[in-house]
Amino acid sequence: MKVDEFSQQIEQLRSQIQEILQCDGTKSNSQQEIVTEAFEELNTAMEELLTASEKLEEARAAIEKERQCYQDLFEFAPYGYLVTNTVGTIQEANHVAAILLGIPQKYLVGKPLIIFIAQQYQQSFSSHMNNLQELINWEINLQPRRGKPFPVSVKASVVYDLEGKQLGWRWLLCNISERKQAEEMLHQAYSELEIRVAERTAELVKANQKLLSEITERKRVESQLLHLAFHDALTGLANRAAFMNRLKHAINFSKRHSDYLFAVLFIDLDRFKVINDSLGHLNGDQLLLAIASRLEVCVRSIDTAARLGGDEFTILLEGIQDVSDAITVAERIQHELALPFELDGQEMFITASIGIALSSTVDYKHPEELLRDADTAMYRAKVLGRARYELFNSEMYANALARLQLETDLRRAIEREEFRVYYQPIVSLASGSILGFEALLRWQHPERGLLHPADFIPLAEETGLIFSIGNWALHEACRQMQVWQVCHRSNLLEKISVNLSVKQFSQPDLIEQIGKILHSTGLDAGTLALDITESVIVENGDKASAVILQLREMGIELSIDDFGTGYSSLGRLYNFPISVLKIDRSFISPMSANSKNLEIIEIIVTLAHKLGVDVLAEGVETKEQLALLRKLNCEYGQGHFFSLPLNNSAAEALIMQNPRW
């Protein structure tokens, strides 16, 4: 009954009571008061009842509103929402639940929930329902009426009445297919990532191993490069850089300790080039290796043995007592080197010249100074006959300074044109007339006067200045000869002879240079004769033969100068197209007093003639020598008996005199 209807009934009842009271007006006042009071109480109670009814109606409206809100939430919830009784029969279901279970909402009510559970989860679902006491979460697969099973997340809670009695369960179903798919994809991605990580790890391990290998190799190469930087590649001894570094330390140490003494030994092998060219560079390298091994045996562990290059070795002896220690090592080295070396099944012997420089000789400040002085002492040992040692002293120091000054002067002499060519006549012993001249180089030194070749040619060869000096001398001699031939045709000058040093002969463009000189001076190649020593042939071998053949093809004659003082022989010279042998003056000077020398000269002349080679005797100084040479059928003579070397004007005057001897 609604509140309005209830109020109308109260009013009707009130009217009826009023009428009753009016009809009972005959009653006594006391009774009437009792009835009136009862009526008023009843009226008051009815008003209170009416007020309570209105409040109840308001409460019912509020509850209905809340119920409608709940119904809306229930119906339009984003997840599937079900209510079942205690045996799992669906009593309520929202729209999403109907969609999930694949059946319209109105048909869901009354259906057991378990029929929508995938078969493999039904037993587990039943077990959970039997034990369900509070909110619980788990994941199962739903089997909708139509479609394939799909995973859902299930949240269930117990429904109680006001007295705490279980009425059923609430079920919240959430489709987690996308999440599961995402999890599967994530799992797959994780698996793939693990595989990739494993592969990458394997690659990194491999790369790391490769890197370690490369680092090891790099360290090996660095170590090798460091070793090569301070060691000779062939012998394994210290190289120049390492030796100079050790020598510098020794000098610095000696500055701090006045009683500290050390020495440098400069070792140069004698005639190594001949051995190297004869046996080949491979055997030459093997010989250097063997020599290096023997040098190491001769020194202590604190000493340093080094190879400077070629056949030059050095030894630094540190902390010696006196000079005798250095001499002992030098003698030990010479003793070791005196023992035979076996190369390619052949025994080989070699000697060495050794120079010794003591730290106490001069106040040395730089390692180059010590090395220079040891080299100077070694050079002195070479000059004195090789296969020996020499100590550097103050005299050598003075000579070294003089030599340095001479080198400076020699370089300036080229710029200042201080060189001169002197000419000594070559006489035909058959006719007694001048056949030609030998061009002899002189240096008009501004302070020391006229210097002979022996005073400066060795230094010129060592410094490389011989090339420019030699070219100038050859050009000047050819030019002068051409002038004489043009001006003195009647004198029939046939030859101009010019000396060619070993270094000049070794020039790769020698033929080209001589050709240019002949062309620029206009001299006929047949007029030019080049004098070479036996060492040119010995040291250049097959190359010398090829160059000599080219010179002969140009028409230039070749003479062997100072024959008999070298290492060759007439038999060795047989294959070379030589025109003249020049017998050294050392054989001519004692010829008249020594019959043995005369016999040697006679043999040389006879053999030379057998080989089709003419002979020129150098150093003819007396009539007796001239007579003996003519008797031996020697073709040409040259010496002071005929004329001293002359400058160009004096030589021209001699040509005009046209003397006969």
Side-chain angles (χ1 to χ4, degrees):
M1 181 181 294
K2 294 183 179 180
V3 174
D4 293 339
E5 294 176 352
F6 182 71
S7 298
Q8 291 176 1
Q9 289 180 0
I10 293 295
E11 285 297 326
Q12 291 176 1
L13 182 59
R14 185 181 292 168
S15 298
Q16 290 175 1
I17 293 174
Q18 189 68 34
E19 290 176 359
I20 293 173
L21 288 176
Q22 291 176 355
C23 291
D24 291 337
T26 58
K27 292 184 179 181
S28 62
N29 288 336
S30 60
Q31 289 177 339
Q32 188 176 3
E33 287 176 357
I34 292 171
V35 172
T36 300
E37 185 178 352
F39 175 77
E40 288 176 354
E41 288 178 357
L42 178 61
N43 188 44
T44 301
M46 290 179 67
E47 286 178 355
E48 289 177 355
L49 181 62
L50 182 60
T51 300
S53 176
E54 289 175 351
K55 290 182 179 180
L56 179 62
E57 186 64 25
E58 289 176 359
R60 283 179 179 175
I63 291 171
E64 177 62 24
K65 186 176 180 181
E66 288 181 3
R67 190 198 68 77
Q68 188 61 43
C69 289
Y70 166 76
Q71 187 65 34
D72 291 343
L73 289 174
F74 177 80
E75 186 63 31
F76 298 107
Y79 303 109
Y81 194 80
L82 297 170
V83 177
T84 67
N85 58 18
T86 56
V87 294
T89 301
I90 298 173
Q91 294 179 334
E92 291 183 68
N94 68 353
H95 179 68
V96 176
I99 293 173
L100 290 176
L101 300 178
I103 190 170
Q105 262 180 290
K106 59 183 179 178
Y107 297 119
L108 274 178
V109 177
K111 299 284 192 301
L113 179 59
I114 196 168
I115 66 173
F116 298 102
I117 305 300
Q119 187 174 359
Q120 67 269 30
Y121 290 97
Q122 288 182 359
Q123 184 175 355
S124 173
F125 179 76
S126 299
S127 176
H128 277 86
M129 284 186 63
N130 294 332
N131 298 315
L132 188 60
Q133 296 297 327
E134 57 183 11
L135 181 67
I136 190 167
N137 299 333
W138 77 93
E139 293 179 0
I140 59 174
N141 279 3
L142 286 184
Q143 177 62 63
R145 182 60 58 88
R146 297 178 183 86
K148 296 180 180 180
F150 59 89
V152 292
S153 170
V154 178
K155 293 184 178 180
S157 61
V158 181
V159 179
Y160 298 97
D161 60 11
L162 295 177
E163 297 176 356
K165 181 181 178 183
Q166 182 178 355
L167 298 177
W169 293 278
R170 298 185 189 92
W171 304 89
L172 185 65
L173 307 177
C174 179
N175 189 342
I176 58 173
S177 297
E178 292 183 359
R179 195 193 80 187
K180 283 291 184 180
Q181 185 177 4
E183 288 178 351
E184 182 64 27
M185 291 175 65
L186 184 62
H187 178 72
Q188 184 177 356
Y190 181 75
S191 298
E192 291 176 356
L193 181 61
E194 282 189 327
I195 294 172
R196 291 180 61 187
V197 167
E199 291 175 349
R200 185 59 179 160
T201 302
E203 290 176 359
L204 288 175
V205 169
K206 186 177 180 181
N208 188 51
Q209 290 175 344
K210 184 179 180 182
L211 182 61
L212 287 174
S213 177
E214 289 176 352
I215 291 173
T216 303
E217 177 64 16
R218 187 187 69 185
K219 287 183 177 179
R220 186 192 67 79
V221 171
E222 286 177 351
S223 177
Q224 184 178 5
L225 288 175
L226 185 62
H227 183 271
L228 290 175
F230 294 101
H231 291 80
D232 177 56
L234 174 64
T235 63
L237 296 178
N239 60 11
R240 177 183 288 271
F243 183 81
M244 298 302 277
N245 188 48
R246 289 294 307 156
L247 186 52
K248 183 179 180 181
H249 282 297
I251 292 174
N252 293 337
F253 189 81
S254 68
K255 298 296 182 185
R256 300 190 300 270
H257 303 83
S258 58
D259 58 343
Y260 180 74
L261 184 65
F262 63 92
V264 172
L265 276 63
F266 197 108
I267 305 163
D268 187 88
L269 303 180
D270 299 326
R271 297 182 62 243
F272 175 75
K273 188 177 187 306
V274 177
I275 296 173
N276 200 36
D277 292 344
S278 302
L279 299 180
H281 293 285
L282 184 60
N283 283 323
D285 288 347
Q286 294 302 313
L287 178 59
L288 292 175
L289 273 170
I291 289 170
S293 298
R294 294 193 185 182
L295 290 180
E296 288 185 299
V297 172
C298 298
V299 298
R300 303 163 300 173
S301 59
I302 64 171
D303 301 326
T304 303
R307 180 185 177 220
L308 296 188
D311 60 338
E312 293 180 339
F313 296 86
T314 52
I315 292 176
L316 172 61
L317 302 176
E318 299 200 51
I320 60 176
Q321 297 298 317
D322 51 42
V323 67
S324 63
D325 290 342
I327 292 174
T328 299
V329 174
E331 290 175 345
R332 188 182 304 143
I333 290 171
Q334 289 186 325
H335 177 266
E336 285 292 328
L337 296 183
L339 301 175
F341 293 90
E342 186 173 339
L343 298 176
D344 199 18
Q346 180 180 355
E347 273 195 347
M348 180 60 57
F349 293 88
I350 196 164
T351 58
S353 299
I354 304 175
I356 304 172
L358 287 176
S359 59
S360 59
T361 305
V362 181
D363 183 19
Y364 293 108
K365 293 181 174 60
H366 305 288
E368 293 80 8
E369 297 171 349
L370 259 161
L371 196 64
R372 175 201 64 200
D373 291 348
D375 184 24
T376 300
M378 181 278 297
Y379 184 78
R380 179 64 177 168
K382 290 271 189 188
V383 172
L384 294 177
R386 305 180 181 181
R388 56 183 294 156
Y389 63 85
E390 285 292 324
L391 287 169
F392 182 81
N393 53 42
S394 56
E395 182 182 351
M396 287 185 189
Y397 183 68
N399 291 337
L401 291 178
R403 187 167 175 267
L404 183 62
Q405 183 60 48
L406 183 63
E407 180 181 344
T408 303
D409 294 345
L410 191 60
R411 293 183 184 278
R412 291 175 179 171
I414 298 173
E415 301 172 3
R416 298 173 180 176
E417 299 181 353
E418 295 174 354
F419 292 105
R420 305 287 184 268
V421 176
Y422 276 60
Y423 302 91
Q424 188 171 35
I426 298 172
V427 177
S428 170
L429 299 188
S431 64
S433 61
I434 297 176
L435 179 72
F437 288 92
E438 179 179 3
L440 300 172
L441 186 64
R442 299 290 186 267
W443 177 10
Q444 189 64 51
H445 194 281
E447 297 175 0
R448 299 173 59 185
L450 194 66
L451 299 181
H452 286 69
D455 296 326
F456 62 89
I457 288 298
L459 182 60
E461 289 188 334
E462 184 178 336
T463 57
L465 297 173
I466 188 63
F467 300 120
S468 56
I469 296 173
N471 282 346
W472 177 87
L474 180 59
H475 185 278
E476 178 62 20
C478 291
R479 183 198 65 78
Q480 185 62 67
M481 187 61 178
Q482 176 64 11
V483 171
W484 286 338
Q485 283 189 330
V486 172
C487 297
H488 305 283
R489 294 181 182 277
S490 60
N491 293 89
L492 300 176
L493 293 176
E494 298 180 12
K495 298 293 177 187
I496 182 71
S497 179
V498 183
N499 287 289
L500 206 62
S501 72
V502 175
K503 287 208 176 244
Q504 284 179 276
F505 191 85
S506 302
Q507 293 177 96
D509 58 346
L510 176 66
I511 302 299
E512 182 182 354
Q513 288 184 16
I514 294 174
K516 287 181 179 179
I517 290 173
L518 291 175
H519 181 268
S520 64
T521 60
L523 185 69
D524 183 78
T527 306
L528 178 62
L530 296 176
D531 293 351
I532 59 175
T533 61
E534 296 170 77
S535 58
V536 169
I537 297 173
V538 172
E539 294 184 19
N540 290 277
D542 294 338
K543 182 181 177 182
S545 178
V547 174
I548 289 173
L549 286 173
Q550 286 181 282
L551 292 171
R552 289 297 295 148
E553 288 173 1
M554 293 173 65
I556 299 172
E557 288 190 359
L558 287 131
S559 305
I560 296 297
D561 201 9
D562 301 332
F563 183 78
T565 61
Y567 305 102
S568 185
S569 65
L570 283 173
R572 176 124 186 219
L573 298 174
Y574 177 76
N575 294 322
F576 292 93
I578 304 300
S579 301
V580 178
L581 283 182
K582 290 188 174 183
I583 302 176
D584 187 68
R585 67 182 65 252
S586 61
F587 290 96
I588 303 301
S589 297
M591 181 174 62
S592 56
N594 191 329
S595 59
K596 193 171 186 179
N597 271 56
L598 184 60
E599 291 174 359
I600 292 173
I601 294 172
E602 183 179 7
I603 291 171
I604 292 174
V605 172
T606 302
L607 290 176
H609 289 166
K610 291 288 185 182
L611 296 173
V613 177
D614 292 338
V615 179
L616 185 151
E618 297 181 307
V620 179
E621 297 180 355
T622 66
K623 285 185 178 181
E624 291 77 15
Q625 291 172 352
L626 176 59
L628 288 172
L629 290 170
R630 279 176 169 160
K631 187 176 180 180
L632 294 174
N633 295 320
C634 181
E635 282 81 9
Y636 312 112
Q638 183 179 339
H640 291 176
F641 177 74
F642 305 109
S643 173
L644 295 173
L646 307 170
N647 60 29
N648 55 358
S649 58
E652 185 169 4
L654 185 64
I655 293 171
M656 295 177 67
Q657 291 176 13
N658 195 16
R660 294 285 190 274
W661 291 277

